[in-house]
Amino acid sequence: MSSTLNRKMPPAAADELGPTPVDGGWGWMVVLGAHISIGFAYTTPKALSIFFRPIKEDLGASYSEIAWISSIMLAVMYAGGPVSSVLVRRFGSRPVVMMGGLMCGVSMVTASFGSSIIYLYLCIGIIGGWGLCFNLNASLTIISKYFLAKRPLANGLAMAGSPVFLCVLAPLNQYLLGHFGWRGSLLILGGMMLNCCVAGAVMRPVARQSTPPKEVDQPNNTKSKGSRLDKVKTFVDLSFFKNPGFVIYLVGNVMFIFGAYAPIVFLSAYAVSRGVEEYSAAYLLSIMGFVDMFVRPLTGLVANSRWVRPRIQFLFSFAMVFNGTFHLLCPLMSTYPLLVAYAVFFGVGFGMVFALIFECLMDLMGNQRFPSAVGLVTIIECFPMLLGPPAAGLLVDIFDDYKYLFFMCGGVITTGGLFLFVMNVYNYNRLEKANRGKETEQDQNTVEKQEQASSSEARMELMDSEVKEANTARPEPQPKEETC
């Protein structure tokens, strides 16, 4: 076990390609822009839960129907990853983030005029989900272009936008709801989300080194087939499934995503059902966000340390188990002080996971393959994202109790964390054995070559000695006698 934990992850070959990251400079302004865009991307589906109760009463919907708003928004945000990756490769991160901010603002403004739950699905879920998708993927991609040595710290600071915005938006939405209703609150929220356009404006592209193009004579049909294959690989590169480390990461990540958001969506409603006042219930999300705000950059610093960074996959699995354990304990916390303690530990676990979730993928795939990898991961994650909150809402509708959704989410997340730990240990041992086999084979080849060289030298020495003996045994010719 100790040799497995001490084993470093092999570096991705793709890191050797492309321009060298600057690891600072204007990159910190890019991190600030990513902080804003990622903050809106991850916080908006959570903060909208403040409006769910009045929307439910106004439109006459059930808990499971209301939960579909956030689920569709999150699912579209994750499913649009490959499309966002293609747009980022084609146009760069700056215009993609600015377009995403515009779509988010339009979605909230149009949703404020909604009169049916289907209309909210379309405006908030689909249009807003696409906007958040453009904000998220483009911001993550440009960070990987600007940073390498300080990348875990940069990712931690950028991902800290989610808890910072959650800490502010949760009480702000409760205040807006009390003064303007849910329709006026969505209208104001849409105007606020236009700031993502400003965040995208600072994401200028990294200067690339100009290299002369190589001309290769190929038939026209071969060129067309190759270009089509390249386009397909750019959109969805299925070759990632040949990497066992990627498959292990994906399975654990899917299990986490299934149970990650339902506790956030229903936390305020659960607190109200326990007799907590509505403003105090909304502050639980702020407490969680406040703790999460400090945990993410601290986790980035820890992950960037010399001892932890080679073992970052194990730290990720520990964070998942930590997160799931406190979901399992939440139904035991019925008073407000205990719910505050749950929100604190929830923020710690949630912050650790999301500070590491994309860093682990970058660690596995490398900078150059990360855009395609994150696109494939997000499109797969849309299915558990789409099913998680509605499944939790269905449990509430069936049992008329919130504790079963916490049991479900905590059990799934804890199982995923344990799966990641066990399978990473297995995978690292397999890689170590494979490397030992290669080293043994190389040693055997070296020994065989040395033996062949020594045997050839022995044969040469033997031939030289035989030649010398033959020359020694040969009689010397005697001079002929002269006859008179």
Side-chain angles (χ1 to χ4, degrees):
M1 178 70 71
S2 60
S3 61
T4 301
L5 294 176
N6 290 330
R7 178 177 173 75
K8 292 186 178 181
M9 198 70 182
D15 285 342
E16 300 174 359
L17 304 176
T20 304
V22 295
D23 272 319
W26 188 259
W28 297 117
M29 290 299 298
V30 174
V31 169
L32 177 61
H35 180 91
I36 296 173
S37 59
I38 292 175
F40 275 114
Y42 278 118
T43 303
T44 303
K46 307 171 191 174
L48 288 177
S49 63
I50 302 296
F51 308 132
F52 281 178
R53 182 179 290 273
I55 292 175
K56 175 180 178 296
E57 296 173 355
D58 190 7
L59 302 182
S62 64
Y63 280 110
S64 59
E65 290 174 340
I66 291 295
W68 279 104
I69 298 175
S70 294
S71 293
I72 294 174
M73 192 178 202
L74 289 167
V76 173
M77 182 179 75
Y78 277 71
V83 178
S84 179
S85 298
V86 172
L87 293 177
V88 170
R89 287 178 179 271
R90 177 65 179 85
F91 302 104
S93 294
R94 175 186 283 173
V96 175
V97 173
M98 295 177 71
M99 176 60 68
L102 181 61
M103 293 179 67
C104 289
V106 171
S107 68
M108 295 299 162
V109 172
T110 55
S112 64
F113 300 98
S115 58
S116 67
I117 194 69
I118 302 299
Y119 184 83
L120 297 184
Y121 291 164
L122 175 63
C123 295
I124 299 178
I126 296 178
I127 300 177
W130 275 110
L132 298 183
C133 171
F134 292 159
N135 285 349
L136 176 63
N137 286 32
S139 301
L140 291 171
T141 300
I142 198 167
I143 289 176
S144 67
K145 302 295 183 184
Y146 268 92
F147 292 91
L148 180 61
K150 299 178 181 178
R151 193 178 62 199
L153 176 60
N155 274 325
L157 292 174
M159 296 295 288
S162 174
V164 170
F165 276 63
L166 181 61
C167 185
V168 174
L169 282 182
L172 178 61
N173 284 351
Q174 190 67 51
Y175 173 82
L176 294 176
L177 180 63
H179 289 76
F180 303 101
W182 68 270
R183 296 181 186 275
S185 300
L186 289 180
L187 185 63
I188 297 172
L189 184 61
M192 293 171 57
M193 296 187 75
L194 292 176
N195 286 288
C196 291
C197 299
V198 181
V202 304
M203 297 181 182
R204 67 187 186 193
V206 181
R208 291 185 172 272
Q209 299 175 355
S210 59
T211 54
K214 296 181 180 180
E215 296 182 358
V216 180
D217 295 334
Q218 291 181 350
N220 293 331
N221 57 353
T222 305
K223 288 184 179 180
S224 61
K225 290 180 181 179
S227 62
R228 286 195 295 268
L229 289 175
D230 291 339
K231 289 180 179 179
V232 172
K233 285 187 175 182
T234 301
F235 191 77
V236 177
D237 191 355
L238 299 180
S239 65
F240 291 124
F241 289 101
K242 297 179 181 179
N243 188 332
F246 174 80
V247 175
I248 294 170
Y249 167 86
L250 183 62
V251 173
N253 203 18
V254 165
M255 297 180 72
F256 171 76
I257 292 297
F258 180 82
Y261 288 98
I264 302 174
V265 171
F266 291 99
L267 179 58
S268 296
Y270 171 67
V272 171
S273 69
R274 294 290 184 178
V276 179
E277 195 264 334
E278 290 186 356
Y279 272 95
S280 299
Y283 277 114
L284 290 175
L285 292 177
S286 298
I287 293 170
M288 174 201 164
F290 183 78
V291 174
D292 193 359
M293 175 173 56
F294 293 98
V295 169
R296 294 199 188 200
L298 288 176
T299 304
L301 286 173
V302 172
N304 200 38
S305 63
R306 183 180 302 176
W307 191 87
V308 176
R309 187 164 187 178
R311 305 163 182 84
I312 195 170
Q313 305 294 334
F314 296 106
L315 180 61
F316 182 52
S317 62
F318 167 78
M320 284 182 58
V321 173
F322 184 90
N323 196 347
T325 301
F326 281 95
H327 290 327
L328 294 173
L329 296 176
C330 181
L332 302 177
M333 303 177 183
S334 57
T335 63
Y336 188 70
L338 290 177
L339 288 175
V340 170
Y342 164 74
V344 170
F345 287 107
F346 187 11
V348 172
F350 200 82
M352 286 194 298
V353 171
F354 273 93
L356 300 171
I357 190 168
F358 290 111
E359 175 59 30
C360 288
L361 184 60
M362 290 182 189
D363 181 67
L364 288 170
M365 296 293 104
N367 291 345
Q368 299 301 316
R369 302 191 73 192
F370 175 75
S372 299
V374 74
L376 180 60
V377 168
T378 52
I379 197 173
I380 294 174
E381 286 177 347
C382 75
F383 295 104
M385 183 71 66
L386 185 66
L387 298 176
L394 183 61
L395 290 177
V396 176
D397 291 333
I398 293 175
F399 298 101
D400 197 21
D401 197 339
Y402 291 91
K403 65 180 181 180
Y404 296 101
L405 76 88
F406 289 100
F407 288 147
M408 178 191 73
C409 296
V412 173
I413 293 175
T414 303
T415 304
L418 294 175
F419 170 84
L420 273 180
F421 181 82
V422 173
M423 293 306 296
N424 277 322
V425 170
Y426 166 77
N427 188 41
Y428 286 175
N429 285 331
R430 184 185 62 83
L431 291 174
E432 190 172 1
K433 289 180 181 178
N435 290 333
R436 286 179 186 172
K438 290 181 181 179
E439 292 176 358
T440 304
E441 185 177 356
Q442 292 177 356
D443 293 340
Q444 290 179 352
N445 293 334
T446 303
V447 171
E448 289 178 357
K449 289 180 181 179
Q450 291 177 352
E451 290 178 352
Q452 291 177 359
S454 59
S455 61
S456 61
E457 290 177 358
R459 283 196 297 269
M460 292 294 294
E461 292 178 356
L462 181 61
M463 292 176 63
D464 291 340
S465 61
E466 289 179 352
V467 170
K468 290 180 179 178
E469 291 177 358
N471 293 334
T472 304
R474 183 181 302 170
E476 296 181 0
Q478 296 180 359
K480 295 181 179 180
E481 296 181 356
E482 296 180 358
T483 55
C484 297

